[in-house]
Coordinates of all heavy atoms in Angstrom, one line a residue:
M413 N -103.6 129.2 -33.3 CA -102.6 128.2 -33.9 C -102.3 128.6 -35.3 O -103.2 129.0 -36.2 CB -103.3 126.8 -33.9 CG -102.4 125.8 -34.4 SD -103.1 124.1 -34.3 CE -102.0 123.3 -35.6
R414 N -101.1 128.7 -35.7 CA -100.5 129.2 -37.0 C -100.7 128.1 -38.0 O -100.5 126.9 -37.6 CB -99.1 129.5 -36.8 CG -98.9 131.0 -36.5 CD -97.5 131.3 -36.9 NE -96.4 130.6 -36.2 CZ -95.2 130.4 -36.6 NH1 -94.8 130.9 -37.7 NH2 -94.4 129.7 -36.0
V415 N -101.1 128.5 -39.1 CA -101.2 127.5 -40.2 C -99.9 127.5 -41.0 O -99.5 128.6 -41.5 CB -102.4 127.9 -41.1 CG1 -102.5 126.9 -42.3 CG2 -103.7 127.9 -40.3
E416 N -99.2 126.4 -41.1 CA -98.0 126.3 -41.9 C -98.2 125.6 -43.2 O -99.1 124.6 -43.1 CB -97.0 125.6 -41.0 CG -96.7 126.3 -39.8 CD -95.7 127.5 -40.0 OE1 -95.3 127.7 -41.1 OE2 -95.6 128.3 -39.1
T417 N -97.6 125.9 -44.2 CA -97.7 125.2 -45.5 C -96.7 124.0 -45.4 O -95.6 124.2 -45.2 CB -97.3 126.2 -46.7 OG1 -98.1 127.3 -46.5 CG2 -97.7 125.5 -47.9
L418 N -97.2 123.0 -45.7 CA -96.4 121.8 -45.7 C -95.5 121.8 -46.9 O -95.9 122.1 -48.0 CB -97.2 120.4 -45.8 CG -98.0 120.1 -44.5 CD1 -98.9 118.9 -44.7 CD2 -97.1 119.8 -43.3
R419 N -94.4 121.3 -46.8 CA -93.5 121.0 -47.9 C -94.0 119.9 -48.8 O -94.6 118.9 -48.3 CB -92.0 120.7 -47.5 CG -91.4 121.9 -46.8 CD -90.0 121.6 -46.4 NE -89.4 122.7 -45.8 CZ -88.2 122.7 -45.2 NH1 -87.5 121.6 -45.1 NH2 -87.7 123.9 -44.6
A420 N -94.0 120.0 -50.0 CA -94.4 118.9 -51.0 C -93.5 117.7 -50.8 O -94.0 116.6 -50.8 CB -94.5 119.5 -52.5
R421 N -92.2 117.9 -50.9 CA -91.3 116.7 -50.7 C -90.2 117.1 -49.8 O -90.0 118.3 -49.5 CB -90.7 116.5 -52.1 CG -91.7 116.3 -53.3 CD -91.0 116.0 -54.5 NE -90.3 114.7 -54.4 CZ -90.8 113.5 -54.7 NH1 -92.0 113.4 -55.0 NH2 -90.0 112.4 -54.6
C422 N -89.4 116.0 -49.4 CA -88.4 116.3 -48.5 C -87.1 116.5 -49.4 O -87.4 116.6 -50.6 CB -88.0 115.0 -47.6 SG -87.7 113.5 -48.5
E423 N -86.0 116.6 -48.9 CA -84.8 117.1 -49.7 C -84.1 115.9 -50.5 O -83.4 116.1 -51.4 CB -83.7 117.5 -48.8 CG -84.0 119.0 -48.3 CD -83.8 119.2 -46.9 OE1 -83.0 118.5 -46.2 OE2 -84.5 120.1 -46.2
L424 N -84.7 114.7 -50.4 CA -84.2 113.5 -51.0 C -84.8 113.5 -52.5 O -86.0 113.6 -52.6 CB -84.6 112.2 -50.3 CG -83.6 111.6 -49.3 CD1 -84.2 110.5 -48.6 CD2 -82.3 111.3 -50.0
D425 N -84.0 113.4 -53.4 CA -84.4 113.3 -54.9 C -85.2 111.9 -55.0 O -84.5 110.9 -54.7 CB -83.4 113.5 -55.8 CG -82.9 115.0 -56.0 OD1 -83.9 115.9 -55.7 OD2 -81.9 115.3 -56.4
G426 N -86.3 112.0 -55.6 CA -87.0 110.6 -55.8 C -87.2 109.9 -54.6 O -87.2 108.6 -54.6
C427 N -87.5 110.5 -53.4 CA -87.8 109.8 -52.3 C -89.1 109.0 -52.3 O -90.1 109.5 -52.6 CB -87.9 110.9 -51.1 SG -88.6 110.2 -49.6
E428 N -89.0 107.7 -52.0 CA -90.0 106.8 -52.2 C -91.1 107.0 -51.1 O -92.2 106.8 -51.4 CB -89.7 105.4 -52.3 CG -89.0 104.9 -51.0 CD -88.4 103.5 -51.2 OE1 -87.7 103.2 -52.2 OE2 -88.7 102.6 -50.3
W429 N -90.7 107.6 -49.9 CA -91.7 107.9 -48.9 C -92.5 109.0 -49.4 O -93.7 109.2 -48.9 CB -90.9 108.1 -47.6 CG -90.3 106.9 -47.0 CD1 -89.0 106.4 -47.3 CD2 -91.0 105.9 -46.2 NE1 -88.8 105.3 -46.6 CE2 -90.0 104.9 -46.0 CE3 -92.2 105.9 -45.7 CZ2 -90.3 103.8 -45.2 CZ3 -92.5 104.7 -44.9 CH2 -91.6 103.7 -44.6
C430 N -92.1 110.1 -50.0 CA -92.9 111.1 -50.4 C -93.8 110.6 -51.5 O -94.9 111.2 -51.6 CB -91.9 112.3 -51.0 SG -91.1 113.1 -49.8
D431 N -93.4 109.7 -52.3 CA -94.3 109.3 -53.3 C -95.4 108.4 -52.9 O -96.4 108.1 -53.5 CB -93.6 108.6 -54.5 CG -92.6 109.4 -55.2 OD1 -93.0 110.7 -55.3 OD2 -91.6 109.1 -55.7
R432 N -95.2 107.6 -51.6 CA -95.9 106.6 -51.3 C -97.2 107.0 -50.6 O -98.2 106.3 -50.5 CB -95.0 105.6 -50.4 CG -95.8 104.4 -50.0 CD -94.8 103.6 -49.0 NE -93.5 103.3 -49.7 CZ -92.5 102.6 -49.0 NH1 -92.6 102.2 -47.9 NH2 -91.4 102.4 -49.7
A433 N -97.2 108.2 -50.0 CA -98.3 108.5 -49.2 C -98.7 107.5 -48.1 O -99.8 107.0 -48.1 CB -99.6 108.9 -50.0
A434 N -97.8 107.1 -47.3 CA -97.9 106.0 -46.3 C -98.7 106.4 -45.1 O -99.1 105.7 -44.4 CB -96.5 105.5 -45.9
G435 N -99.1 107.7 -45.0 CA -99.9 108.2 -43.9 C -99.2 109.3 -43.3 O -98.0 109.6 -43.7
P436 N -99.9 109.9 -42.3 CA -99.2 111.0 -41.7 C -98.0 110.7 -40.8 O -97.9 109.6 -40.3 CB -100.4 111.7 -40.8 CG -101.2 110.5 -40.6 CD -101.2 109.6 -41.8
C437 N -97.1 111.7 -40.8 CA -95.8 111.4 -40.0 C -96.1 111.2 -38.5 O -97.0 111.8 -37.9 CB -94.9 112.6 -40.1 SG -93.6 112.6 -38.9
R438 N -95.6 110.1 -38.0 CA -95.9 109.8 -36.5 C -95.3 110.9 -35.7 O -95.9 111.1 -34.5 CB -95.3 108.5 -36.2 CG -96.1 107.3 -36.5 CD -95.4 106.0 -36.4 NE -94.3 105.8 -37.3 CZ -93.5 104.8 -37.3 NH1 -93.6 103.9 -36.5 NH2 -92.5 104.7 -38.2
C439 N -94.2 111.5 -36.0 CA -93.6 112.4 -35.1 C -94.3 113.8 -34.9 O -94.5 114.4 -33.8 CB -92.2 112.8 -35.5 SG -91.0 111.5 -35.1
C440 N -94.9 114.2 -36.0 CA -95.6 115.6 -36.0 C -97.1 115.4 -36.1 O -97.8 116.4 -36.3 CB -94.9 116.5 -37.0 SG -95.2 115.8 -38.7
G441 N -97.5 114.1 -36.5 CA -99.0 114.0 -36.7 C -99.4 114.5 -38.1 O -100.6 114.8 -38.2
G442 N -98.5 114.7 -38.9 CA -98.9 115.2 -40.3 C -98.8 116.7 -40.4 O -99.2 117.2 -41.5
T443 N -98.5 117.3 -39.4 CA -98.5 119.0 -39.5 C -97.2 119.4 -40.2 O -97.1 120.5 -40.7 CB -98.6 119.6 -38.1 OG1 -97.5 119.1 -37.4 CG2 -99.8 119.0 -37.4
G444 N -96.1 118.6 -40.1 CA -94.7 119.0 -40.6 C -94.1 119.8 -39.7 O -92.9 120.3 -40.0
R445 N -94.6 120.2 -38.6 CA -93.9 121.0 -37.5 C -93.8 120.2 -36.3 O -94.7 119.5 -36.0 CB -94.6 122.3 -37.3 CG -95.0 123.1 -38.6 CD -93.8 123.8 -39.2 NE -93.3 124.8 -38.4 CZ -92.1 125.6 -38.7 NH1 -91.7 125.4 -39.9 NH2 -91.8 126.4 -37.9
W446 N -92.8 120.4 -35.6 CA -92.7 120.0 -34.2 C -92.3 121.0 -33.2 O -91.6 122.0 -33.7 CB -92.0 118.6 -34.1 CG -90.5 118.8 -34.2 CD1 -89.7 119.8 -34.6 CD2 -89.6 117.8 -33.8 NE1 -88.4 119.5 -34.6 CE2 -88.2 118.3 -34.1 CE3 -89.6 116.5 -33.4 CZ2 -87.1 117.6 -33.8 CZ3 -88.5 115.7 -33.1 CH2 -87.3 116.2 -33.4
R447 N -92.4 120.8 -32.0 CA -92.1 121.8 -30.9 C -91.3 121.1 -29.8 O -91.9 120.9 -28.8 CB -93.3 122.4 -30.5 CG -94.1 123.1 -31.7 CD -95.3 124.0 -31.1 NE -94.7 125.1 -30.3 CZ -95.4 126.0 -29.6 NH1 -96.7 125.8 -29.5 NH2 -94.8 126.8 -29.0
P448 N -90.1 120.8 -30.0 CA -89.3 120.3 -29.0 C -88.9 121.3 -28.0 O -88.9 122.5 -28.4 CB -88.0 119.8 -29.8 CG -87.9 120.7 -30.9 CD -89.3 121.0 -31.3
E449 N -88.4 120.9 -26.8 CA -88.0 121.8 -25.8 C -86.5 121.7 -25.8 O -85.9 120.6 -25.8 CB -88.5 121.4 -24.4 CG -90.0 121.8 -24.3 CD -90.4 121.7 -22.8 OE1 -89.8 120.8 -22.1 OE2 -91.3 122.5 -22.4
M450 N -85.8 122.9 -25.9 CA -84.4 122.9 -26.0 C -83.9 123.6 -24.7 O -84.5 124.7 -24.3 CB -84.0 123.8 -27.1 CG -84.6 123.3 -28.5 SD -83.7 121.8 -29.2 CE -82.3 122.8 -30.0
P451 N -82.7 123.1 -24.2 CA -82.2 123.7 -22.9 C -81.4 125.0 -23.4 O -80.8 125.2 -24.4 CB -81.1 122.7 -22.5 CG -80.8 121.9 -23.7 CD -82.0 121.9 -24.5
R452 N -81.6 126.1 -22.5 CA -81.0 127.3 -22.8 C -80.4 127.9 -21.4 O -81.1 127.8 -20.4 CB -82.1 128.3 -23.3 CG -81.6 129.7 -23.7 CD -82.5 130.4 -24.5 NE -83.8 130.6 -23.8 CZ -84.0 131.7 -22.9 NH1 -83.1 132.7 -22.9 NH2 -85.1 131.8 -22.2
R453 N -79.2 128.2 -21.4 CA -78.6 128.8 -20.2 C -78.8 130.2 -20.0 O -78.4 131.0 -21.0 CB -77.1 128.4 -20.2 CG -76.5 128.7 -18.8 CD -74.9 128.3 -19.0 NE -74.7 127.0 -18.9 CZ -74.5 126.2 -17.8 NH1 -74.7 126.7 -16.7 NH2 -74.3 124.9 -17.9
E454 N -79.4 130.6 -18.9 CA -79.6 132.0 -18.6 C -78.2 132.7 -18.2 O -77.2 132.0 -17.9 CB -80.6 132.2 -17.5 CG -81.9 131.6 -17.9 CD -82.8 132.5 -18.7 OE1 -83.2 133.5 -18.0 OE2 -82.9 132.3 -19.9
A455 N -78.2 134.0 -18.2 CA -77.1 134.7 -17.7 C -76.6 134.3 -16.3 O -75.4 134.3 -15.9 CB -77.2 136.2 -17.9
S456 N -77.6 134.0 -15.5 CA -77.3 133.6 -14.1 C -76.8 132.1 -13.9 O -76.4 131.8 -12.9 CB -78.6 133.7 -13.3 OG -79.5 132.9 -13.8
G457 N -76.8 131.4 -15.0 CA -76.3 130.1 -15.0 C -77.4 129.1 -15.0 O -77.1 127.8 -14.9
V458 N -78.6 129.6 -14.7 CA -79.7 128.6 -14.6 C -80.1 128.1 -16.0 O -80.2 128.8 -16.9 CB -80.9 129.3 -14.0 CG1 -82.2 128.5 -13.8 CG2 -80.6 129.9 -12.6
I459 N -80.4 126.8 -16.0 CA -80.7 126.2 -17.3 C -82.3 126.3 -17.4 O -82.9 125.9 -16.5 CB -80.3 124.7 -17.4 CG1 -78.8 124.6 -17.1 CG2 -80.8 124.2 -18.7 CD1 -78.0 124.5 -18.4
C460 N -82.8 126.9 -18.5 CA -84.2 127.0 -18.8 C -84.6 126.1 -19.9 O -83.7 125.9 -20.9 CB -84.7 128.4 -19.0 SG -84.6 129.4 -17.5
W461 N -85.7 125.6 -20.1 CA -86.1 124.9 -21.2 C -87.0 125.8 -22.0 O -88.1 126.3 -21.5 CB -86.8 123.6 -20.7 CG -85.9 122.6 -20.2 CD1 -85.5 122.6 -18.8 CD2 -85.3 121.6 -20.9 NE1 -84.7 121.5 -18.7 CE2 -84.5 120.9 -19.9 CE3 -85.1 121.2 -22.2 CZ2 -83.7 119.9 -20.3 CZ3 -84.4 120.1 -22.5 CH2 -83.5 119.5 -21.6
T462 N -86.7 126.0 -23.2 CA -87.5 126.8 -24.1 C -88.1 126.1 -25.2 O -87.3 125.0 -25.7 CB -86.5 127.8 -24.8 OG1 -85.4 128.2 -23.9 CG2 -87.2 129.1 -25.2
R463 N -89.2 126.3 -25.5 CA -89.9 125.6 -26.6 C -89.6 126.2 -27.9 O -89.8 127.5 -28.1 CB -91.5 125.6 -26.3 CG -92.2 124.5 -27.0 CD -93.6 124.2 -26.5 NE -93.6 123.3 -25.4 CZ -93.5 122.0 -25.3 NH1 -93.3 121.4 -26.6 NH2 -93.6 121.2 -24.3
V464 N -89.1 125.5 -28.8 CA -88.8 126.1 -30.1 C -89.8 125.3 -31.2 O -90.2 124.3 -30.9 CB -87.3 125.8 -30.5 CG1 -86.5 126.5 -29.5 CG2 -87.0 124.4 -30.6
E465 N -89.9 126.0 -32.2 CA -90.8 125.4 -33.3 C -89.9 125.3 -34.6 O -89.3 126.2 -34.9 CB -92.0 126.2 -33.5 CG -92.9 125.4 -34.5 CD -94.2 126.2 -34.8 OE1 -94.7 126.9 -33.9 OE2 -94.7 126.2 -35.9
E466 N -89.9 124.1 -35.2 CA -89.1 123.9 -36.4 C -89.7 122.9 -37.2 O -90.6 122.2 -36.8 CB -87.6 123.5 -36.0 CG -87.5 122.3 -35.2 CD -86.2 121.9 -34.7 OE1 -85.3 122.9 -34.7 OE2 -85.8 120.9 -34.5
W467 N -89.2 122.7 -38.4 CA -89.6 121.6 -39.3 C -89.5 120.3 -38.6 O -88.4 120.1 -38.1 CB -88.9 121.6 -40.6 CG -89.3 122.9 -41.5 CD1 -88.5 123.9 -41.8 CD2 -90.6 123.1 -42.2 NE1 -89.2 124.8 -42.6 CE2 -90.5 124.3 -42.8 CE3 -91.8 122.4 -42.2 CZ2 -91.5 124.9 -43.6 CZ3 -92.8 122.9 -42.8 CH2 -92.7 124.1 -43.5
C468 N -90.4 119.4 -38.8 CA -90.3 118.1 -38.2 C -89.1 117.4 -38.9 O -88.9 117.5 -40.2 CB -91.5 117.3 -38.4 SG -91.4 115.5 -38.0
R469 N -88.1 116.8 -38.1 CA -86.9 116.3 -38.7 C -87.2 114.9 -39.3 O -86.5 114.3 -40.2 CB -85.8 116.1 -37.7 CG -85.3 117.4 -37.3 CD -84.3 117.4 -36.2 NE -84.0 118.7 -35.7 CZ -83.1 118.9 -34.6 NH1 -82.6 117.8 -34.1 NH2 -83.0 120.1 -34.2
M470 N -88.2 114.2 -38.8 CA -88.5 112.9 -39.3 C -89.1 112.9 -40.8 O -88.7 112.0 -41.6 CB -89.6 112.2 -38.5 CG -89.0 111.7 -37.1 SD -87.6 110.7 -37.3 CE -88.6 109.2 -38.0
C471 N -89.9 113.9 -41.0 CA -90.5 113.9 -42.4 C -90.1 115.2 -43.2 O -90.5 115.4 -44.3 CB -92.0 114.0 -42.2 SG -92.6 115.4 -41.4
A472 N -89.1 115.9 -42.6 CA -88.5 117.1 -43.4 C -89.6 118.0 -43.7 O -89.5 118.8 -44.7 CB -87.8 116.6 -44.6
G473 N -90.6 118.2 -42.9 CA -91.7 119.1 -43.1 C -92.7 118.8 -44.1 O -93.5 119.6 -44.5
T474 N -92.7 117.5 -44.5 CA -93.7 117.0 -45.5 C -94.9 116.6 -44.8 O -96.0 116.5 -45.4 CB -93.2 116.0 -46.5 OG1 -92.8 114.8 -45.6 CG2 -91.9 116.4 -47.1
G475 N -94.9 116.2 -43.6 CA -96.0 115.7 -42.8 C -96.4 114.2 -43.3 O -97.4 113.8 -42.8
K476 N -95.6 113.7 -44.1 CA -95.8 112.3 -44.6 C -94.9 111.3 -43.8 O -93.7 111.7 -43.5 CB -95.5 112.2 -46.1 CG -96.4 113.0 -46.9 CD -96.0 112.9 -48.4 CE -96.7 113.9 -49.2 NZ -96.2 114.2 -50.5
E477 N -95.4 110.2 -43.7 CA -94.6 109.2 -42.9 C -93.3 108.9 -43.6 O -93.2 108.7 -44.8 CB -95.5 107.9 -42.9 CG -94.7 106.6 -42.3 CD -94.8 106.6 -40.8 OE1 -96.0 106.6 -40.4 OE2 -93.8 106.6 -40.2
H478 N -92.1 108.9 -42.9 CA -90.9 108.6 -43.4 C -90.1 107.7 -42.5 O -90.3 107.7 -41.2 CB -90.0 109.8 -43.5 CG -90.2 110.6 -44.8 ND1 -91.4 111.3 -45.1 CD2 -89.4 110.9 -45.9 CE1 -91.3 111.7 -46.2 NE2 -90.2 111.6 -46.8
N479 N -89.4 106.9 -43.0 CA -88.5 106.0 -42.1 C -87.4 107.0 -41.5 O -87.0 108.0 -42.2 CB -87.8 105.0 -43.0 CG -88.4 103.5 -42.7 OD1 -89.2 103.4 -41.7 ND2 -88.1 102.6 -43.5
P480 N -86.8 106.6 -40.3 CA -85.8 107.4 -39.9 C -84.6 107.5 -40.8 O -84.2 106.5 -41.5 CB -85.3 106.6 -38.7 CG -86.4 105.8 -38.3 CD -87.3 105.5 -39.4
L481 N -84.2 108.7 -41.0 CA -83.2 109.0 -42.1 C -81.8 108.5 -41.7 O -81.5 108.5 -40.5 CB -83.1 110.5 -42.3 CG -84.4 111.1 -42.9 CD1 -84.3 112.6 -43.0 CD2 -84.7 110.5 -44.3
Ligands
ZN1137 ZN1 -89.4 112.1 -48.6
ZN1138 ZN1 -93.1 114.9 -39.3

């Protein structure tokens, strides 16, 4: 398992959720990363599901609880 550095804050200036430390983000469990499955169309026309890894959109990679943006 890769170790990722959490972002200190999200992109919002003065975000009260970043300051509050309300607990770990429910979407990513506080890791700041999530791995959704995205549909991808093969050359043959078959749709495959690929697992991608990106910053958690709920907490913007901070791993802290945030309200839906
Ligand atoms: Zn924030
Ligand atoms: Zn998250």
Side-chain angles (χ1 to χ4, degrees):
M413 187 176 158
R414 268 198 302 156
V415 178
E416 299 283 350
T417 309
L418 288 175
R419 290 177 180 175
R421 302 184 64 88
C422 66
E423 281 135 27
L424 273 173
D425 283 336
C427 170
E428 59 184 52
W429 289 91
C430 285
D431 293 332
R432 189 180 297 182
C437 169
R438 274 172 294 179
C439 280
C440 60
T443 62
R445 306 290 294 183
W446 75 343
R447 305 191 59 190
E449 286 190 331
M450 305 281 276
R452 187 168 57 92
R453 188 183 286 273
E454 300 278 285
S456 61
V458 179
I459 306 261
C460 293
W461 290 87
T462 328
R463 201 167 275 283
V464 298
E465 188 178 325
E466 58 184 23
W467 289 112
C468 173
R469 290 181 195 173
M470 287 298 292
C471 62
T474 61
K476 294 173 191 167
E477 174 85 60
H478 276 65
N479 257 347
L481 298 174

